[in-house]
Each structure stands twice: as structure tokens, then as C-alpha cells.
Amino acid sequence: MLNDDEIRTLLKAYDVVQLDMWSPTPLITPQGERSDARSWARSLNVNFAPTFILFDADGNEVIRSEA
């Protein structure tokens, strides 16, 4: 899906980040909190990869798709 040119064009309107849910990669969540990819994935109850989560401008989860 992410290789589709039309989808990639539409996604340019968003901040898109791809993370490894098992990594210690530091990040700042959409709510502005410091965390790491592993801890944040756990706090979001992400259990499968890939998982796609869309947040609104206020950092609230809008939609989720899990594999």
C-alpha cells in the first residue's frame, strides 16, 4: 500500500514516521512526551507488526490498522 504513488502523494500532507516496535529508539510522542519506540508501542497496546496508527493534530488516536 505504501508503495502506491497516489497513497504516497496523499501522505505528504502528514508527518509519517516508521518505527521498530522492539527498538529503544528515542522519540517524542504526538502528545509531546519523551519515550522510546518499545515503551510507546507497549503503552499503545501494539501487539502486531505492521500496525498503522493515525493521530489527529491534538495527538489523539483516530484510526488503527493492525496486521
Side-chain angles (χ1 to χ4, degrees):
M1 174 172 91
L2 295 178
N3 290 328
D4 182 283
D5 288 336
E6 185 175 354
I7 298 293
R8 287 167 101 51
T9 299
L10 292 170
L11 287 175
K12 287 181 182 179
Y14 297 89
D15 294 323
V16 178
V17 178
Q18 181 177 350
L19 296 168
D20 176 348
M21 66 186 265
W22 297 283
S23 80
T25 303
L27 57 82
I28 298 176
T29 70
Q31 296 81 13
E33 300 169 0
R34 293 186 182 276
S35 188
D36 61 72
R38 183 182 313 135
S39 299
W40 191 42
R42 271 194 224 123
S43 73
L44 293 171
N45 295 316
V46 173
N47 298 306
F48 304 99
T51 294
F52 173 86
I53 304 174
L54 179 65
F55 297 91
D56 65 15
D58 294 323
N60 300 307
E61 184 175 328
V62 176
I63 192 168
R64 175 188 296 228
S65 176
E66 296 180 298

